[in-house]
Amino acid sequence: MKNNKVLIFDTTLRDGEQAPGATMSPAEKLEIAFSLERLGVDIIEAGFPVSSKGDFDSVYNVAKHIKNSFVCGLARSVTKDIDAVIEAVKPAKQKRIHIFLATSKIHLQHKLKKSQDEIVAMAVESVKYARKRMDNIEFSPEDASRTEKEFLYRILEAVIKAGATTVNIPDTVGYSTPQEYGAVIAGIAKNVPNIGKAVISTHCHDDLGLAVANSLGGVQNGARQVECTINGIGERAGNASMEEIVMAIKTRSDFYGLSTNIKTKEFYRISRMVSKATGFIVPPNKAIIGANAFRHESGIHQDGILKERRTYEIMNPEDVGVPSHEGLVLGKHSGRHAFKDRLKGLGIELPEVDLDRAFARFKDLADKKKEIYDEDLVAIVEDQGHMAHMAYALVDLISTSGTNIAPEVVVTIDHKGKKQTKKSTGDGPVDACYKAIESVTQLKANLLDYSIKAVTQGKDALGEVTIKVAIEGETVIGRGASTDIIEASAKAYINAINKFVAQKK
Ligand code: KIV
Ligand code: ZN
């Protein structure tokens, strides 16, 4: 029988976290894992347990809590790594080990300094070792797309014979092209005699911007698992983006004739969650979940959309959970009930106390901003989440600046019920604000990155600030939203400090 289901293997927490500067806290990783499970991901690669105690603990923690998806850990072809994965995924209901070993000439000669025979022996030995302890084994010949075909077929046949149940074909350096990568997969399907006993998987990097196209090329030629990440984050230029691959398969089911288990309405929320945890802003023009992905600027297009949506839209924004930005959703006179209802429509249900606080913020925002859109509501609720377990809270902020006066900021901050007010000047209002906050918290945070974006359009839009700071050698991401950009900056800074304090505890 023809298998039309493509399994989705998410590696946001492993390869995604390998993106420079994308370190996530254990709590953020668990929160993302829960969302991946809710999204319907088949396999979650939660980390590389042998690489550090933190990674081991994170994989263990994910394995303990995830029930519906397989939880997987990465290992090199050595017993120490394999043992670490076996221990780390032990509590999982459904578990997998992912073993990798480089196979291309360039890696064998310069990195591993081993012959092809030695590599096959190592791979077989490690798969056999793992198979005695676990049923679900994935093997990756690293740099497969640059590996000599005959050797690739030989090692795949050997590891399948040794017990591998999935063979993953990494385009490790993002060098391949859709036709070439598709041909690699077709070649494997044709020339590896026991391939029927394993699932073929794709794993493509985006160095040439071809990761999604290459993955789809693989799927067209028989791959039935795709390895990918949310927002396409990952080593160097990143991995194949899950939302793009899944929506291509769904939107063009007429062409691919395939499906996945993914609940696509979750994409927008999980994309924001990953962006929040890593501090990587999603570009506005990013396919599927970028802020402009469903915005129509041209008058001709707007006219077409009003007459018939399908004239210029190939997907329904609601199908990927993008909040509506057309039309006013709530205003100054909307009540708590309407507010709660609207949040429910966005898939957000808050406990009563959090709802009260979010509603108060909504009212506050409605006083400053005429039109409140779904995106504003999402930003309010996310800000709310930041405030829930905080050591420090911004009570008041006064900022004065001008062309000919030194910027000065006065902040009042609540710390465990005690309010403190401090004033500072600086090179600019943000600098002055951060110095004032620092003199309250007595925590020196070194600002590594600062970015601001408007949540919606218009002069009165909410500004969302994302920062990356180093505190006592730890990198922490902070986010804050407000119609006042200095206040949003202050909230982002305090959010980072609160996260640091919580992590230290
Ligand atoms: O890109 C790669 O080759 C990898 C392997 C560990 C599968 O991430
Ligand atoms: Zn990779």
Side-chain angles (χ1 to χ4, degrees), residues 14-15 18 74 98 100 140-143 168 170-173 203 205 227 239:
R14 199 277 296 169
D15 219 335
Q18 279 174 229
L74 183 70
H98 178 188
F100 75 101
S140 285
E142 189 190 9
D143 206 14
N168 180 44
D171 181 28
T172 303
V173 289
H203 179 110
H205 280 270
E227 300 200 352
N239 287 59

Side-chain angles (χ1 to χ4, degrees), residues 378-390:
V378 173
I380 288 177
V381 172
E382 284 184 357
D383 232 26
Q384 188 68 28
H386 296 164
M387 291 196 273
H389 313 285
M390 57 196 181

Side-chain angles (χ1 to χ4, degrees), residues 54 141 166 251 256 277 359 398 404 423 446 474 495:
T166 299
T251 309
Y256 291 108
F359 184 60
I398 303 163
N404 295 312
K423 177 164 76 176
N446 189 10
E474 299 265 342
N495 173 234

Side-chain angles (χ1 to χ4, degrees), residues 62-350:
V62 170
K64 216 163 84 182
H65 291 95
I66 294 301
K67 301 281 173 274
N68 302 325
S69 312
F70 275 80
V71 178
C72 175
L74 183 70
R76 290 167 298 182
S77 284
V78 289
T79 51
K80 182 175 82 159
D81 288 32
I82 296 170
D83 290 342
V85 171
I86 288 169
E87 272 310 299
V89 300
K90 203 169 247 169
K93 253 183 102 181
Q94 309 185 84
K95 47 200 128 200
R96 172 181 289 190
I97 183 167
H98 178 188
I99 303 171
F100 75 101
L101 182 62
T103 49
S104 65
K105 220 177 204 167
I106 196 158
H107 278 241
L108 262 58
Q109 271 176 9
H110 301 282
K111 188 178 87 174
L112 300 173
K113 300 192 187 343
K114 289 200 186 299
S115 70
Q116 291 187 338
D117 288 348
E118 284 171 307
I119 292 293
V120 174
M122 260 179 93
V124 166
E125 207 180 305
S126 55
V127 170
K128 278 189 178 160
Y129 180 82
R131 187 63 204 240
K132 282 192 194 125
R133 292 153 182 85
M134 213 186 272
D135 290 339
N136 200 309
I137 318 278
E138 172 168 326
F139 179 80
S140 285
E142 189 190 9
D143 206 14
S145 56
R146 293 194 299 172
T147 297
E148 292 156 81
K149 300 291 168 292
E150 288 311 317
F151 182 53
L152 187 62
Y153 304 151
R154 177 182 159 203
I155 196 163
L156 293 178
E157 183 182 357
V159 292
I160 294 170
K161 197 165 159 220
T165 44
T166 299
V167 286
N168 180 44
I169 310 302
D171 181 28
T172 303
V173 289
Y175 181 74
S176 211
T177 67
Q179 290 76 9
E180 184 187 75
Y181 188 78
V184 172
I185 301 295
I188 291 167
K190 188 163 167 232
N191 296 300
V192 177
N194 52 0
I195 197 67
K197 292 190 177 145
V199 173
I200 309 177
S201 166
T202 68
H203 179 110
C204 299
H205 280 270
D206 209 28
D207 300 68
L208 293 173
L210 293 170
V212 169
N214 287 346
S215 307
L216 291 168
V219 157
Q220 270 186 287
N221 284 281
R224 286 296 174 267
Q225 174 181 285
V226 171
E227 300 200 352
C228 46
T229 60
I230 298 294
N231 298 343
I233 64 165
E235 184 81 43
R236 305 181 310 279
N239 287 59
S241 144
M242 188 201 298
E243 53 282 2
E244 293 178 22
I245 290 171
V246 169
M247 288 314 288
I249 290 175
K250 183 178 162 107
T251 309
R252 295 307 312 273
S253 60
D254 61 318
F255 179 75
Y256 291 108
L258 298 167
S259 67
T260 70
N261 291 323
I262 298 298
K263 297 177 192 74
T264 60
K265 282 187 194 311
E266 297 289 328
F267 273 142
Y268 180 77
R269 280 223 295 165
I270 193 164
S271 160
R272 282 189 63 92
M273 186 183 282
V274 170
S275 164
K276 197 170 84 179
T278 55
F280 290 1
I281 306 274
V282 175
N285 61 328
K286 167 85 171 64
I288 317 295
I289 34 80
N292 291 347
F294 295 97
R295 276 193 179 138
H296 304 276
E297 192 68 21
S298 136
I300 297 170
H301 290 203
Q302 286 174 353
D303 179 57
I305 286 280
L306 288 174
K307 288 179 174 140
E308 168 54 58
R309 192 185 58 77
R310 284 172 302 164
T311 50
Y312 287 100
E313 251 175 32
I314 58 163
M315 290 169 276
N316 196 335
E318 277 127 51
D319 285 351
V320 291
V322 168
S324 136
H325 48 262
E326 281 152 15
L328 183 67
V329 290
L330 290 174
K332 197 172 167 154
H333 303 291
S334 306
R336 191 176 179 283
H337 194 75
F339 176 72
K340 187 178 173 180
D341 254 21
R342 194 59 218 143
L343 287 184
K344 206 167 164 200
L346 293 169
I348 303 169
E349 291 192 55
L350 297 175

Side-chain angles (χ1 to χ4, degrees), residues 368 393-401 408-414 420-424 429-437 482-494:
K368 296 177 185 152
L394 182 69
V395 178
D396 193 36
L397 182 145
I398 303 163
S399 162
T400 30
S401 66
E408 187 183 86
V409 171
V410 184
V411 291
T412 303
I413 290 173
D414 181 298
Q420 263 200 74
T421 301
K422 292 280 180 187
K423 177 164 76 176
S424 185
V430 174
D431 185 45
C433 170
Y434 286 3
K435 282 186 174 138
I437 296 171
S482 171
T483 46
D484 178 324
I485 59 169
I486 306 303
E487 189 180 313
S489 307
K491 283 181 170 171
Y493 199 72
I494 292 172

